[in-house]
């Protein structure tokens, strides 16, 4: 065998050997990838929830996650799980991460409901609405036009703090399209505060209410939309109302 033939033989032998190695690596990679994607080989056995929560249905949430991510630990998409979790009504914030070898760890920050909004939504402490069931929750009822959620909640807190000094509380607050304030107190008294100086007007009511409460008739409503004085609607035994200005 000539030197040229020997060199050619060695070259092709090397090429064939290299191709065998490459094919082996590809075959091994495909088998490894298939094994990693196989839920039976590397299942997500544990979904570990943590955080402070009362209203989140953990069993339902885990079921949703497993239905949306039926693959193995390696195939599971953390970003998809994150988006799914944060889309749930009672979830305010969440973090999601994998923990080797078979655990998905999820930390939950739950929405904190502070008021009903327009009978169909709930408000959190930041004035953001969320669409969760408020059935059974004893919360004040706030009403107002769209976009006024934060204004209504801030007004509620300011007036509730003032009323608390007189051992009274707000049951229902309404903010009109023209941003006029109306209240229904927990004792049933209705207040019309108007648009301006509503805190001063509320203080005027607090100052005069002890005198009103001594009257033989119960107070139905108080209209405080006056620079000075007020109008009082009284309850009567036969259900009719009478009004008096002072």
């Amino acid at each position: 065998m000539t030197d040229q033939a020997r060199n050619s033989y060695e070259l092709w032998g090397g090429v064939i050997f290299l191709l065998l190695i490459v094919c082996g690596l590809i075959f091994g990679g495909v088998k490894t990838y298939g094994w990693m994607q196989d839920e039976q080989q590397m299942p997500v056995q544990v979904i570990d929830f943590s955080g402070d929560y009362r209203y989140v249905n953990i069993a339902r949430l885990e079921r949703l996650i497993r239905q949306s991510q039926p693959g193995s630990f390696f195939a599971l998409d953390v970003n998809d799980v994150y988006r799914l979790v944060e889309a749930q009504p009672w979830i305010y914030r969440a973090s999601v991460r994998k923990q080797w070898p078979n655990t998905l760890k999820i930390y939950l920050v739950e929405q904190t409901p502070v008021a009903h909004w327009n009978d169909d939504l709930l408000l959190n402490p930041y004035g953001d609405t969320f669409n969760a069931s408020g059935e059974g929750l004893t919360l004040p009822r706030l009403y107002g036009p769209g976009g006024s959620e934060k204004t209504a909640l801030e007004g509620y807190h300011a007036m509730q703090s003032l009323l608390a000094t007189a051992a009274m509380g707000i049951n229902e607050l309404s903010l009109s399209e023209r941003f006029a304030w109306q209240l229904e107190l927990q004792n049933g008294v209705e207040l019309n505060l108007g648009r301006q100086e509503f805190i001063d007007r509320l203080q005027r009511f607090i100052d005069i209410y002890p005198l009103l409460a001594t009257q033989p008739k119960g107070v139905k409503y108080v209209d405080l939309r006056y620079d000075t004085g007020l109008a009082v609607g009284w309850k009567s035994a036969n259900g009719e109302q009478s009004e008096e200005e002072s």
Side-chain angles (χ1 to χ4, degrees):
M1 179 181 296
T2 65
D3 290 343
Q4 183 178 4
R6 184 180 298 107
N7 291 338
S8 177
Y9 177 79
E10 291 176 352
L11 175 63
W12 282 106
V15 170
I16 292 171
F17 180 73
L18 179 61
L19 288 174
L20 288 173
I21 292 177
V22 171
C23 289
L25 289 174
I26 293 174
F27 178 77
V30 170
K31 294 292 289 184
T32 300
Y33 179 80
W35 181 82
M36 291 171 63
Q37 299 297 310
D38 186 358
E39 182 183 6
Q40 301 303 315
Q41 299 294 335
M42 287 294 294
V44 177
Q45 294 182 343
V46 179
I47 299 181
D48 180 22
F49 293 96
S50 60
D52 186 12
Y53 47 84
R54 294 176 54 195
Y55 306 107
V56 177
N57 187 328
I58 293 298
R60 176 181 177 276
L61 183 56
E62 179 172 347
R63 186 165 60 250
L64 286 174
I65 293 170
R66 292 192 180 278
Q67 289 172 350
S68 69
Q69 299 287 325
S72 70
F73 176 82
F74 295 101
L76 184 143
D77 191 319
V78 170
N79 291 325
D80 284 349
V81 175
Y82 169 79
R83 286 189 288 269
L84 172 66
V85 172
E86 284 220 334
Q88 305 308 305
W90 278 108
I91 304 300
Y92 180 65
R93 290 286 185 269
S95 63
V96 181
R97 64 182 177 88
K98 295 179 183 179
Q99 180 173 290
W100 177 264
N102 56 15
T103 301
L104 183 65
K105 298 186 76 66
I106 300 176
Y107 181 81
L108 301 177
V109 179
E110 191 177 58
Q111 292 277 15
T112 302
V114 297
H116 295 281
W117 178 251
N118 288 341
D119 288 332
D120 56 358
L121 297 171
L122 294 172
L123 282 179
N124 68 17
Y126 311 105
D128 300 322
T129 59
F130 60 101
N131 189 12
S133 173
E135 185 178 356
L137 298 178
T138 304
L139 299 171
R141 300 188 301 273
L142 275 56
Y143 299 88
S148 67
E149 295 89 347
K150 288 182 174 60
T151 300
L153 187 60
E154 289 171 0
Y156 166 79
H157 285 311
M159 289 185 275
Q160 178 60 47
S161 296
L162 187 57
L163 286 164
T165 63
M168 290 186 283
I170 299 172
N171 186 45
E172 182 177 304
L173 176 150
S174 297
L175 188 60
S176 73
E177 294 284 348
R178 300 181 65 239
F179 285 79
W181 299 88
Q182 291 183 313
L183 304 181
E184 178 189 289
L185 304 183
Q186 292 173 353
N187 59 11
V189 176
E190 299 172 6
L191 304 181
N192 194 339
L193 300 174
R195 297 174 57 189
Q196 300 176 344
E197 301 178 347
F198 59 90
I199 292 295
D200 292 339
R201 292 171 178 177
L202 185 60
Q203 183 62 61
R204 191 194 312 164
F205 164 76
I206 292 173
D207 292 340
I208 201 171
Y209 184 70
L211 176 61
L212 299 178
T214 62
Q215 303 304 307
K217 296 180 181 179
V219 178
K220 173 62 178 175
Y221 71 87
V222 179
D223 190 341
L224 294 135
R225 295 175 298 172
Y226 301 89
D227 292 335
T228 58
L230 46 84
V232 182
W234 303 95
K235 297 177 182 177
S236 61
N238 57 13
E240 297 180 353
Q241 295 182 21
S242 59
E243 183 173 317
E244 177 183 319
E245 294 188 10
S246 61

